[in-house]
Amino acid sequence: MAQTIERDSPVAYYEQLFVILRDQILSGDIPADERLPSEMELCREYGLSRATVRQTMSKLESEGFARRVARRGVFASSPEQSTGWTVEEGFLESQVRQGQTGVTTQVVDARLAAPAQHVAEALELADDAQVFALQRVRSLDGKVAMFSTNWFPKSVGETVSADAGVMDGSGSLNETLRRAGFVSNGAKRVIRAMRPTEAVAAHLQIDADQPVLRVRSLSWDARGTRFDYYETWVLTDIIPLEVSVSAN
């Protein structure tokens, strides 16, 4: 008998749906690498809103039970298939805090732009959508340490661009987002050591052949809405990262 959503339960609907789909994946009813039902199919089957279903899908992804394939859908997976690590929220902020002695932030560009494909896919944007792109260089004791680009959906970008502190490098971006109601309920980060592009190398003032730590991060709120996607290049000889991790 198919499981149903208990309307009188104190457990949030998205959590109930998460448990249903997770158990189906773990039991093999939905085999690994099989495409999960679409958001609209799940809405109809369980009588839920699309925002609730989207929140469930984000939780499945963040906990390793699903993976999203661009233009194909969401597919079942198992946490045991992952050999990576889960990095806690805010780990970069713990290394370089706005206002910390010796830390400075320079905004080098801020504008509306057409997103690259990986940005549009991460933020689940329509083909004709624009993003607000914010590029910043952060230094520690006068030494360039990080180069970051944040991409926001246009509505979120309007909030960011209106904050004078963020735009002149003196304010905290995360605090501005939280004050505006964009509170992270989950995030997915991918960390790689790789050679930077020429543009990134120029901002970091290094040779383009020098490997750098690249962090790509996607954040979503309690409704599953994706509101911040960023790419940060970190010189770990200047900022050694101290990361709390847990194995999947």
Side-chain angles (χ1 to χ4, degrees):
M1 181 177 178
Q3 292 175 279
T4 59
I5 300 298
E6 297 180 11
R7 305 292 169 174
D8 297 330
S9 172
V11 179
Y13 292 165
Y14 85 92
E15 288 278 7
Q16 293 187 51
L17 181 58
F18 167 79
V19 171
I20 291 171
L21 295 176
R22 181 200 63 190
D23 290 350
Q24 290 176 355
I25 293 169
L26 290 174
S27 67
D29 289 342
I30 302 179
D33 298 324
E34 181 173 303
R35 184 181 177 276
L36 295 176
S38 69
E39 290 180 1
M40 292 306 299
E41 290 170 334
L42 291 170
C43 288
R44 289 193 295 268
E45 182 175 355
Y46 293 98
L48 298 173
S49 70
R50 191 162 187 177
T52 298
V53 170
R54 185 172 293 134
Q55 190 173 359
T56 296
M57 302 305 276
S58 293
K59 185 174 176 63
L60 286 170
E61 286 185 75
S62 68
E63 297 201 10
F65 293 101
R67 58 185 177 84
R68 187 177 299 272
V69 179
R71 306 187 189 284
R72 292 184 57 200
V74 180
F75 293 78
S77 63
S78 170
E80 287 76 20
Q81 294 175 338
S82 173
T83 58
W85 297 85
T86 300
V87 182
E88 290 186 345
E89 177 73 14
F91 79 101
L92 280 177
E93 286 299 313
S94 69
Q95 308 307 128
V96 181
R97 295 184 178 88
Q98 193 65 33
Q100 178 182 336
T101 302
V103 174
T104 58
T105 300
Q106 177 189 5
V107 175
V108 296
D109 198 13
R111 69 177 72 183
L112 284 173
Q117 183 176 347
H118 71 96
V119 176
E121 291 175 353
L123 292 174
E124 297 184 332
L125 299 175
D127 292 341
D128 59 348
Q130 287 187 310
V131 292
F132 182 73
L134 175 67
Q135 293 188 338
R136 299 177 295 166
V137 171
R138 308 185 80 175
S139 302
L140 179 62
D141 297 328
K143 297 180 180 178
V144 173
M146 299 166 57
F147 172 68
S148 303
T149 303
N150 290 72
W151 296 278
F152 306 99
K154 187 177 179 180
S155 58
V156 181
E158 290 172 352
T159 297
V160 174
S161 63
D163 190 292
V166 171
M167 298 308 295
D168 68 14
S170 65
S172 168
L173 174 59
N174 285 345
E175 289 180 6
T176 297
L177 290 171
R178 282 194 290 268
R179 286 197 301 268
F182 301 108
V183 179
S184 177
N185 189 58
K188 179 180 180 180
R189 293 189 168 90
V190 179
I191 305 175
R192 293 184 62 188
M194 58 192 301
R195 289 181 173 83
T197 64
E198 291 187 3
V200 170
H203 284 298
L204 292 174
Q205 301 176 14
I206 61 172
D207 191 276
D209 289 332
Q210 178 180 335
V212 183
L213 198 68
R214 188 195 72 180
V215 182
R216 281 185 173 175
S217 175
L218 173 67
S219 296
W220 54 87
D221 64 15
R223 296 169 298 177
T225 301
R226 301 175 177 207
F227 64 88
D228 182 16
Y229 177 57
Y230 72 70
E231 179 179 273
T232 294
W233 299 79
V234 186
L235 297 179
T236 54
D237 57 333
I238 297 176
I239 304 178
L241 296 181
E242 299 174 6
V243 183
S244 298
V245 298
S246 59
N248 282 331

